[in-house]
Structure formats: structure tokens, C-alpha cells
Amino acid sequence: MPGLYYEEFEVGETIEHEKRRTVSERDNQAFCDVTMNQQPLHLDREFAAETEFGERLVNGLYTMSLAVGLSIPETTDGTIVANLSYDGVEHPAPVFHGDTVRARSTVTGKRETSDGERGVVTMRVEAFNQDDELVCEFERTVLSLKAPDDG
């Protein structure tokens, strides 16, 4: 399913993304390994058991990355030039191994580039767990292609 061209984004539109992912211990371990983040709260069961959470937390950057990935098919798959920024990242609740994450995007702004050849689109991306608890939110700004001229 292709993403949306600049002209197809509607300010105020909310897109509920169909794909979901259950986060495994392996996902969290691999992400921490690849990014060299050895925070014991993510990796050490005994350490994490002594915290207010009582168990290991999924790396917050993994959660954010997962939310972006879940949003791509209905927003920017094949129609993006570049991600320009991620702003205002918040993690209001933790994600644990075994949680199932889903995402939704709300288009908050759009404007043409100064040359008029592309467009900048801003979306609020929210990620929720299986209990519909907000676990991550941020603003994503992308440089989007305009629809091809079929004429």
C-alpha cells in the first residue's frame, strides 16, 4: 500500500494504523545491542526488579522507532523524500516485554516548499499499548513528494 503524496494529506485527519506489534524480550535486547545502550533498566532483570517498575522496560527509542515504522504504510511509504525532524518526544507510560503496540497519526500541518516542488507535512504520532494506554507521542515532520503529473 503506497503512502500519501503531499496533496493527499489533510490537516486534522487522524489515521489509525492497522499494523500492531507485540514487543519481545529479543526485540528489546537486539535494539539495545545494536545501539550500544546497556542501561540495566532495559537488560538486567535483577536490577529492574528493584526499581519502581518491578521489571525491565523496553527501550524508549525502540518504542518511538516502532511507532514510526507502524505509521509508514499509510503515510509515507514510497512518497517521502526525507524525515526532517522528531520533536516533543514523550514517554508517558512504560512498555514491557509482551506488550502489543499500535499507532495513530494526526496531520497537524502542511506547507509547500519555497520552490513549490514538494511539501512539508507535520504529524502527531501516538503509540498505545494493548490497554489503550498512551506509551509514546511525538511530532514527526517529513518532506513529501507531490503527486506525479499524469498529464
Side-chain angles (χ1 to χ4, degrees):
M1 170 186 239
L4 301 173
Y5 289 103
Y6 171 74
E7 297 88 349
E8 297 174 301
F9 284 100
E10 297 291 331
V11 174
E13 171 186 21
T14 297
I15 303 163
E16 296 285 346
H17 304 294
E18 292 184 28
K19 287 190 176 189
R20 299 169 186 260
R21 174 146 181 141
T22 300
V23 181
S24 70
E25 178 179 1
R26 182 183 181 289
D27 294 332
N28 187 50
Q29 179 72 52
F31 188 86
C32 288
D33 289 345
V34 168
T35 60
M36 299 179 69
N37 181 338
Q38 299 302 301
Q39 166 58 253
L41 186 56
H42 302 311
L43 302 171
D44 184 331
R45 183 186 339 224
E46 298 305 314
F47 176 89
E50 299 298 320
T51 69
E52 65 186 272
F53 304 106
E55 62 182 293
R56 290 167 292 174
L57 302 183
V58 171
N59 186 308
L61 291 174
Y62 174 84
T63 302
M64 180 183 160
S65 297
L66 176 58
V68 171
L70 292 171
S71 74
I72 286 173
E74 293 93 3
T75 59
T76 59
D77 188 13
T79 58
I80 189 173
V81 176
N83 284 303
L84 299 177
S85 67
Y86 299 97
D87 297 296
V89 179
E90 295 185 25
H91 300 277
V95 174
F96 300 100
H97 300 152
D99 282 356
T100 299
V101 177
R102 68 175 178 84
R104 78 173 168 218
S105 299
T106 302
V107 180
T108 58
K110 67 184 258 190
R111 64 175 175 77
E112 287 188 349
T113 55
S114 58
D115 63 10
E117 293 184 14
R118 296 176 267 191
V120 176
V121 179
T122 304
M123 297 169 260
R124 187 84 191 148
V125 180
E126 299 168 297
F128 301 89
N129 66 16
Q130 66 280 355
D131 298 321
D132 291 326
E133 183 177 21
L134 183 65
V135 296
C136 185
E137 63 181 326
F138 53 93
E139 187 174 83
R140 177 181 176 218
T141 302
V142 302
L143 183 59
S144 180
L145 295 172
K146 285 190 162 186
D149 198 4
D150 291 334

